[in-house]
Amino acid sequence: RKEVEQDPGPFNVPEGATVAFNCTYSNSASQSFFWYRQDCRKEPKLLMSVYSSGNEDGRFTAQLNRASQYISLLIRDSKLSDSATYLCVRGLTGGGNKLTFGTGTQLKVEL
Amino acid sequence: DVKVTQSSRYLVKRTGEKVFLECVQDMDHENMFWYRQDPGLGLRLIYFSYDVKMKEKGDIPEGYSVSREKKERFSLILESASTNQTSMYLCASSRASPDTQYFGPGTRLTVL
């Protein structure tokens, strides 16, 4: 089983839709979680960190469920500019900031 | 503004050549990383460094070596390039504590 697993998509949604991605992880010692965004032919960039209590940044909401070992990303009121690949990322305790990346979920927002 | 630069955006080399990929960051970060990204496999860590002259193997170090002589510079070396090393190579840096990794624009390497 991969350490971090994501549905590759693509998720094709109309502008204004709400879309959610899930990601599962296999190592219960995992300490920290993030969502990165990668535009086509660009480098990944941090979108947001994920906390057990959940966190929200504008139209984006991230949740962590340690009991079921998954994290989620919810995007409300999708914009064309949200089209990208979303990478689920896990950091391990004491890992020296070593991160493990999922393969990404592709989102396409259409008119 | 945060900046990680890589020496080349595109590189074409022949099998057996020695290849150097350079990465420079201007944020005084302690940690630096080299990844490769392939379709369907995502980003995979090759090597990382948490201090000058220090290096640690990542998940796929075979066929690669690294050098970190100065804090701001981290080099990836392919001693004898092979076709299966054709890939997108991404460098990243971060502070010592668990923190955001900042990526360079990537080098697309093709080995013929």
Side-chain angles (χ1 to χ4, degrees):
Chain A
R1 183 182 174 186
K2 290 182 182 176
E3 293 185 63
V4 179
E5 287 202 72
Q6 299 181 247
D7 181 343
F11 284 61
N12 298 307
V13 302
E15 204 173 15
T18 295
V19 61
F21 309 135
N22 282 339
C23 163
T24 59
Y25 62 93
S26 60
N27 189 328
S28 59
S30 300
Q31 179 75 7
S32 52
F33 298 90
F34 311 90
W35 284 101
Y36 276 66
R37 170 191 168 132
Q38 186 171 24
D39 294 312
C40 188
R41 301 183 189 281
K42 297 282 191 179
E43 70 274 20
K45 292 183 180 179
L46 179 69
L47 177 66
M48 58 197 306
S49 302
V50 188
Y51 306 115
S52 295
S53 55
N55 53 308
E56 189 173 310
D57 183 1
R59 297 181 293 106
F60 298 82
T61 301
Q63 292 274 358
L64 165 62
N65 185 317
R66 287 194 183 273
S68 301
Q69 295 187 201
Y70 77 84
I71 71 171
S72 64
L73 177 67
L74 181 78
I75 305 174
R76 290 181 299 277
D77 188 23
S78 302
K79 311 290 184 193
L80 293 175
S81 57
D82 294 334
S83 297
T85 296
Y86 291 84
L87 306 173
C88 172
V89 184
R90 178 214 74 191
L92 279 178
T93 307
N97 202 28
K98 186 178 158 190
L99 303 178
T100 299
F101 288 77
T103 53
T105 297
Q106 189 179 11
L107 171 66
K108 296 181 180 179
V109 182
E110 302 162 332
L111 286 170
Chain B
D1 197 16
V2 165
K3 196 147 188 186
V4 179
T5 57
Q6 295 184 227
S7 50
S8 307
R9 291 300 304 271
Y10 299 94
L11 208 53
V12 180
K13 295 292 181 181
R14 296 200 177 277
T15 302
E17 279 193 81
K18 190 168 186 175
V19 182
F20 293 87
L21 302 182
E22 298 279 319
C23 175
V24 178
Q25 50 96 0
D26 66 357
M27 296 163 284
D28 201 36
H29 283 168
E30 288 80 6
N31 296 332
M32 296 189 75
F33 308 83
W34 273 108
Y35 296 88
R36 62 178 285 177
Q37 186 172 29
D38 301 287
L41 297 176
L43 276 95
R44 293 179 292 165
L45 182 64
I46 303 171
Y47 267 97
F48 66 103
S49 168
Y50 51 87
D51 202 353
V52 176
K53 296 193 186 296
M54 305 301 286
K55 61 184 179 184
E56 292 280 345
K57 292 180 180 179
D59 300 316
I60 51 163
E62 296 78 19
Y64 304 94
S65 63
V66 290
S67 172
R68 193 163 179 206
E69 296 297 319
K70 294 185 177 182
K71 190 176 185 180
E72 68 271 18
R73 190 179 297 268
F74 193 34
S75 303
L76 180 69
I77 303 150
L78 287 67
E79 294 289 342
S80 177
S82 63
T83 54
N84 62 13
Q85 293 178 310
T86 291
S87 186
M88 170 66 82
Y89 289 88
L90 288 154
C91 173
S93 73
S94 75
R95 287 194 293 250
S97 57
D99 196 18
T100 305
Q101 287 189 15
Y102 297 90
F103 284 83
T107 296
R108 182 164 294 282
L109 172 67
T110 302
V111 182
L112 302 174

